[in-house]
Amino acid sequence: ELMQPYSRDDGGDAEFLGMLHPVARWLLQYDGRRHYKLTKGDIFTIAPEYPEGGKLKPLPDAQQASKQLQTDFNAISVDGNHPKVLELFHDQLDKDVAILHFAGYGQGSVQNVGFASIELEDGALQVLEVRTPGTLLGTKRHTLAFFNACRIGVAGEELGLISGWAEALIDRQFAGFIAPLWAVYDKHAAVVSTTFVRYVVGDKLTVAEALQKIRQQFGKYSPTYLPYMYYGDVM
């Protein structure tokens, strides 16, 4: 995504590859299991309310982005605690979920991807809690997951296999996964959330085209707009 092609014939560097073209990633161990279109259903949004004076600072812009999705696209809000989030992942709501949006804190590193986590109101939800047979949301609904949380787009190798949030959700048959590779600024990350949904749902762009357009439109203003990794079908 951030490779900068060089050509002597052009006389200099080009834009980042992710600005020039729609781009996507996939995992070789799941070759042949890509889903080619967004499933029908609702947008579900999770934006934990971190309390004032707590370990984690409140994220007002993430909250506002979630409310904006509810207003503009009739997104359904899910409380940001373990019971409610796991109820959604386990498909106990029995609803068609086209896009699952999470906006909050996250932790991930290449050295410890097996313990990557997102922060809920009652503590961290680790990737290992979701990579289980009980996670039926992807299996039944083939949802696209968009986790707008710092470093959650990181993937790494453990025991010879790629692991992390992307691998865990693709293993559970989610249609795709989007998340940033590095720490992102709350206000700009909120713009990515609302703009992405508007481009995909409103303007009918493909996922990769929507992320490309966001990089082109906002990338010169802040590095927050550049690191969103998309695991899924590029078309």
Side-chain angles (χ1 to χ4, degrees):
E1 292 86 348
L2 300 179
M3 182 177 72
Q4 203 168 17
Y6 173 83
S7 170
R8 290 193 177 118
D9 296 334
D10 295 338
D13 295 333
E15 292 279 12
F16 291 126
L17 186 63
M19 291 184 178
L20 292 172
H21 300 280
V23 292
R25 299 181 175 202
W26 196 246
L27 302 176
L28 185 60
Q29 67 232 51
Y30 299 107
D31 191 29
R33 280 178 50 178
R34 281 187 290 270
H35 293 273
Y36 297 102
K37 63 181 180 179
L38 193 65
T39 188
K40 292 183 179 179
D42 293 309
I43 301 168
F44 279 64
T45 177
I46 305 166
E49 297 186 25
Y50 306 111
E52 292 282 356
K55 181 181 69 171
L56 300 171
K57 293 181 180 179
L59 296 175
D61 291 292
Q63 290 284 316
Q64 182 56 40
S66 179
K67 291 174 183 175
Q68 195 71 45
L69 294 178
Q70 294 170 55
T71 300
D72 294 348
F73 300 99
N74 296 316
I76 298 170
S77 177
V78 177
D79 292 342
N81 57 59
H82 271 76
K84 291 298 183 182
V85 172
L86 287 176
E87 183 178 61
L88 177 60
F89 273 116
H90 294 167
D91 197 43
Q92 293 174 357
L93 301 181
D94 195 27
K95 301 282 188 182
D96 286 330
V97 183
I99 299 174
L100 172 58
H101 167 258
F102 172 85
Y105 287 102
Q107 293 292 331
S109 71
V110 174
Q111 293 78 22
N112 206 16
V113 288
F115 293 93
S117 63
I118 54 174
E119 293 287 344
L120 302 179
E121 295 165 359
D122 53 354
L125 176 68
Q126 292 194 345
V127 65
L128 293 176
E129 297 177 70
V130 175
R131 198 191 187 285
T132 69
T135 298
L136 297 174
L137 183 63
T139 306
K140 292 185 176 181
R141 316 293 173 180
H142 303 306
T143 301
L144 173 71
F146 181 8
F147 283 13
N148 208 339
C150 298
R151 304 182 186 88
I152 295 301
V154 169
E157 187 176 14
E158 288 191 341
L159 301 177
L161 295 173
I162 298 297
S163 60
W165 276 101
E167 187 280 332
L169 296 184
I170 291 170
D171 176 77
R172 302 314 304 153
Q173 298 187 39
F174 278 71
F177 178 70
I178 305 161
L181 195 59
W182 59 66
V184 291
Y185 179 46
D186 183 32
K187 185 176 291 293
H188 297 164
V191 172
V192 175
S193 289
T194 54
T195 304
F196 172 79
V197 174
R198 187 174 78 248
Y199 285 161
V200 171
V201 177
D203 297 346
K204 306 300 182 184
L205 297 182
T206 68
V207 173
E209 287 171 340
L211 293 174
Q212 177 195 9
K213 191 170 179 178
I214 288 170
R215 294 186 189 106
Q216 291 173 336
Q217 187 174 354
F218 302 108
K220 61 185 177 181
Y221 300 114
S222 166
T224 288
Y225 297 106
L226 298 175
Y228 288 85
M229 305 293 105
Y230 167 47
Y231 294 80
D233 186 79
V234 74
M235 300 302 291

